[in-house]
Amino acid sequence: MRLPIVPLAHLDDLWFQVTGTLCNLACTHCFIRCTPHNRSFGFLDLGTIRRSLDESVPLGVKEYYFTGGEPFLHPDMPAILELTLRYGPATVLTNGTLFNDEILRRLRAAEDASPYSLEIRVSIDGYRRTENDAVRGHGTFDRILCGIRQLVEREFMPIITVTKTDDNQGDADLFDGFVRLMRENGYTRPRVKILPTLRIGAEAERRRGYGTEERVSMEMLEGFDQGTLLCNHARIVSDRGVHVCPILIEASDSRLGATLAEAEQPFALTHQACFTCYQYGTICSNPTSQSHDV
Amino acid sequence: MSECRKIAVFGGVYNNHLALTAALEDARRRGADTAFCLGDMGAFGPHPDRTISILREHDVQCIQGNYDNSIGNELPDCQCGYTDPRDNHFARISYAYTLANTSLTNREWLRQLPAQRRVRLGKYRVFMCHGSPRRTNEFLWESTTSTHFLEHLCRNYDADVILATHTGIKWHRPLADGRQFVNVGVLGRPENDGRTNVWYALLSAESDFQVEFVPVAYDHERLAAQMRSENLPGEFVATILSGWWTTCLEVLPAKERRRGRY
Ligand SMILES: [Fe+2]
């Protein structure tokens, strides 16, 4: 059988699995089962990140993204973002529950000193307390909203990132609900991004895994705009090396090399999570960076 | 490849035929030898055919934007890639209006426009495109485009200067080895700064490369009146009259978004 292989067109987005699989929360839909005890992937230190940033310059990387785990468990997260913003635009994906004045003061100063945007994506999974807390854990709704209010006070405009955990809920309803919730919390110009769930990791048990027919075939890639797939223009650095994308880091074939140059090789879409990426497209990128074929 | 001395470059006319006329007069007065339009003739404003006949009459050297590709090929949408339902709602209104009011001949003209142009400006090899050299609808915002990415584009496309538009906000960044990137801005709507003027870029390279962004004042109240009589959304009219964007905000990065009002 021929495999659906996606080449790296260009390394546009460089991701960092900055806190490995360690998170202060244990969401029931997490596709890599991050928890307060999961140390299967470790933290990246500032030196490792600096080496990757330096390697990314001649490769012409456009943007940098940080995820975990929860990135703000990293004691050096402000320093990491300060450094990154000297190289290019930075985006950090957070649950918004670990901010304090000192962190936010440094982030504000770092963005102000840079020509680049610092995007902060805050995850929240229901515009009602019960819906969110069922997925992200008891009490998290109020803690996340508190984090969003802190960001807004510091003149950040976080991208509210919502995973659609209920298939029966319409996008428009979700969107309106979050816009309303944000305005009630003083965020007058909310930015909202709605994502599908990835049916792997904890999510496979919360609801269901993929059906056998849900995978990407060779034929499906014919005439398909591969620019919508993250593996076509991104790679992610973990403490084990460089992997194809943030969703598949636990898969053994996802590690493509020790350096960015080694990880430029193509990737075969044999994983079922690839099906979600194929269906929805650009699920990991910011709305400002989306583009598709014309 | 044509050789130029001083050129006027703009993008995103968005049916703003009054600003287009004002910019072309201004550029001639300032001694530009050629005018280039980097695409997106339609959207937003009134009477698409007026814009296209001005571009053709004045022999403006045009390239095809995502909007022109869509209108020319009668595609279902403008390929701006919005996901926000409100942005999509307004994008659909202006697209349907522009498609319905662009003549068959002008659709054909839009369809045959080239996706890129190369000219020589002094010693500089200039590459003109709509979004980016590699993708018509790629957004190159000042705050989300690293310098080394732009240098990579120059290397890949054998260019000393890359000119683009598509985002709606002008910017310039000098690169290594004297190379340059310029987003020339748009003539169609003000750039979300509370001022009603629009912008184009004047480029020359008699010795060194020079870029001047030129503000264009035009009769924006007359445009607003025409938009109203064509029943275009009040939100669009408000942008023309106030200088603040009211729609299509989701694609703005944090820094650019923060500077606006909405
Ligand atoms: Fe465009």
Side-chain angles (χ1 to χ4, degrees):
Chain A
M1 195 185 88
R2 288 190 308 155
L3 296 172
I5 289 171
V6 173
L8 181 74
H10 175 251
L11 185 58
D12 286 355
D13 304 344
L14 179 57
W15 288 67
F16 293 95
Q17 189 74 26
V18 67
T19 49
T21 39
L22 200 70
C23 187
N24 59 320
L25 305 183
C27 306
T28 59
H29 67 347
C30 186
F31 55 87
I32 45 174
R33 289 177 224 266
C34 296
T35 69
H37 313 289
N38 186 348
R39 293 178 192 274
S40 84
F41 282 82
F43 283 22
L44 294 175
D45 59 43
L46 196 57
T48 304
I49 291 168
R50 181 179 284 117
R51 274 194 300 281
S52 293
L53 290 171
D54 285 338
E55 196 191 349
S56 81
V57 171
L59 298 176
V61 167
K62 192 179 175 194
E63 296 191 57
Y64 303 94
Y65 288 79
F66 293 85
T67 187
E70 167 49 46
F72 288 98
L73 284 174
H74 200 305
D76 293 333
M77 204 55 216
I80 289 167
L81 291 171
E82 285 161 0
L83 177 70
T84 304
L85 284 164
R86 285 190 228 138
Y87 288 78
T91 297
V92 57
L93 280 57
T94 174
N95 60 39
T97 61
L98 294 174
F99 296 132
N100 61 39
D101 273 357
E102 173 61 8
I103 291 174
L104 292 173
R105 186 193 61 73
R106 286 182 66 179
L107 299 189
R108 169 58 34 242
E111 193 191 22
D112 287 348
S114 170
Y116 303 115
S117 278
L118 170 58
E119 294 286 8
I120 302 182
R121 286 204 340 223
V122 178
S123 298
I124 178 167
D125 291 323
Y127 57 80
R128 295 186 202 94
R129 186 174 285 105
T130 46
E131 286 163 359
N132 174 80
D133 286 8
V135 173
R136 302 193 78 82
H138 180 71
T140 56
F141 185 77
D142 295 319
R143 289 165 63 199
I144 297 164
L145 285 178
C146 175
I148 291 168
R149 287 193 300 268
Q150 286 174 296
L151 286 169
V152 170
E153 271 167 37
R154 288 281 184 180
E155 287 180 46
F156 284 104
M157 298 188 71
I159 299 172
I160 307 304
T161 307
V162 178
T163 304
K164 199 172 159 186
T165 53
D166 177 358
D167 286 337
N168 300 319
Q169 200 162 24
D171 279 10
D173 170 60
L174 263 182
F175 196 88
D176 292 347
F178 276 101
V179 168
R180 226 173 19 249
L181 177 69
M182 290 305 126
R183 294 213 167 116
E184 285 163 13
N185 280 273
Y187 186 11
T188 53
R189 301 191 277 159
R191 303 159 83 201
V192 178
K193 178 176 166 78
I194 298 171
L195 297 178
T197 56
L198 292 151
R199 301 183 190 284
I200 53 174
E203 173 67 5
E205 287 139 42
R206 187 185 76 91
R207 223 170 26 176
R208 69 168 178 89
Y210 288 96
T212 47
E213 76 292 350
E214 291 179 311
R215 53 174 68 251
V216 181
S217 69
M218 189 72 201
E219 295 71 49
M220 286 160 71
L221 283 186
E222 268 162 42
F224 177 76
D225 175 9
Q226 298 188 6
T228 65
L229 301 171
L230 200 65
C231 51
N232 164 273
H233 58 264
R235 291 295 183 256
I236 182 165
V237 178
S238 83
D239 67 335
R240 298 183 195 172
V242 185
H243 306 247
V244 66
C245 82
I247 292 160
L248 295 176
I249 54 163
E250 288 183 311
S252 55
D253 64 341
S254 80
R255 187 184 176 280
L256 299 177
T259 63
L260 301 182
E262 282 176 21
E264 285 187 327
Q265 56 179 296
F267 186 72
L269 306 189
T270 56
H271 297 272
Q272 291 193 281
C274 302
F275 183 74
T276 300
C277 205
Y278 176 91
Q279 262 187 314
Y280 293 91
T282 56
I283 53 180
C284 298
S285 308
N286 292 336
T288 54
S289 308
Q290 288 176 5
S291 71
H292 54 101
D293 264 344
V294 295
Chain B
M1 200 188 326
S2 58
E3 295 213 11
C4 306
R5 191 181 54 79
K6 189 175 195 180
I7 59 177
V9 191
F10 48 82
V13 187
Y14 309 152
N15 296 336
N16 192 337
H17 56 101
L18 298 177
L20 174 61
T21 301
L24 288 172
E25 273 168 21
D26 188 89
R28 197 180 314 115
R29 222 172 18 246
R30 290 170 193 261
D33 47 46
T34 318
F36 294 89
C37 177
L38 306 189
D40 280 359
M41 318 312 178
F44 205 76
H47 308 302
D49 281 341
R50 294 190 192 174
T51 287
I52 297 176
S53 44
I54 297 165
L55 290 169
R56 298 180 71 171
E57 246 165 58
H58 289 80
D59 201 24
V60 176
Q61 303 296 295
C62 295
I63 65 178
Q64 187 183 61
N66 52 296
Y67 222 92
D68 315 317
N69 181 275
S70 289
I71 299 283
N73 294 292
E74 297 172 26
L75 301 185
D77 70 49
C78 63
Q79 310 175 77
C80 297
Y82 300 123
T83 57
D84 181 325
R86 188 174 174 277
D87 284 348
N88 260 322
H89 165 76
F90 286 110
R92 270 196 293 270
I93 293 175
S94 48
Y95 188 72
Y97 173 83
T98 303
L99 187 59
N101 291 283
T102 305
S103 73
L104 222 69
T105 339
N106 283 340
R107 284 184 207 176
E108 267 163 38
W109 181 78
L110 289 170
R111 187 163 63 234
Q112 56 78 45
L113 291 175
Q116 59 198 52
R117 281 178 188 275
R118 286 177 186 272
V119 301
R120 194 168 264 281
L121 185 66
K123 63 182 180 190
Y124 294 86
R125 298 165 302 165
V126 179
F127 186 102
M128 301 185 188
C129 56
H130 179 72
S132 80
R134 60 183 194 171
R135 225 170 166 104
T136 299
N137 65 351
E138 178 169 15
F139 291 108
L140 295 183
W141 300 101
E142 184 170 20
S143 86
T144 55
T145 308
S146 76
T147 298
H148 41 262
F149 173 71
L150 295 170
E151 287 163 350
H152 155 82
L153 289 180
C154 286
R155 283 195 301 273
N156 252 20
Y157 289 86
D158 297 316
D160 303 313
V161 178
I162 293 175
L163 307 180
T165 177
H166 183 55
T167 62
I169 301 181
K170 65 177 185 324
W171 58 284
H172 166 222
R173 192 174 298 158
L175 310 173
D177 308 320
R179 292 178 169 180
Q180 313 281 336
F181 175 82
V182 183
N183 186 317
V184 299
V186 296
L187 288 180
R189 61 172 180 176
E191 59 170 29
N192 201 20
D193 60 358
R195 293 163 194 269
T196 55
N197 66 274
V198 294
W199 297 86
Y200 76 94
L202 209 50
L203 309 176
S204 61
E206 294 211 358
S207 52
D208 279 337
F209 178 84
Q210 287 197 321
V211 54
E212 183 188 355
F213 290 114
V214 184
V216 180
Y218 68 100
D219 193 345
H220 59 281
E221 285 177 2
R222 192 168 142 219
L223 189 84
Q226 290 181 7
M227 289 167 76
R228 282 200 200 93
S229 63
E230 288 295 288
N231 293 314
L232 288 164
E235 285 80 356
F236 295 177
V237 179
T239 296
I240 292 299
L241 292 175
S242 70
W244 298 113
W245 293 6
T246 55
T247 59
C248 308
L249 295 160
E250 71 174 302
V251 294
L252 283 168
K255 265 188 198 272
E256 283 83 353
R257 179 79 186 261
R258 204 178 291 124
R259 289 187 206 121
R261 173 172 289 174
Y262 300 105

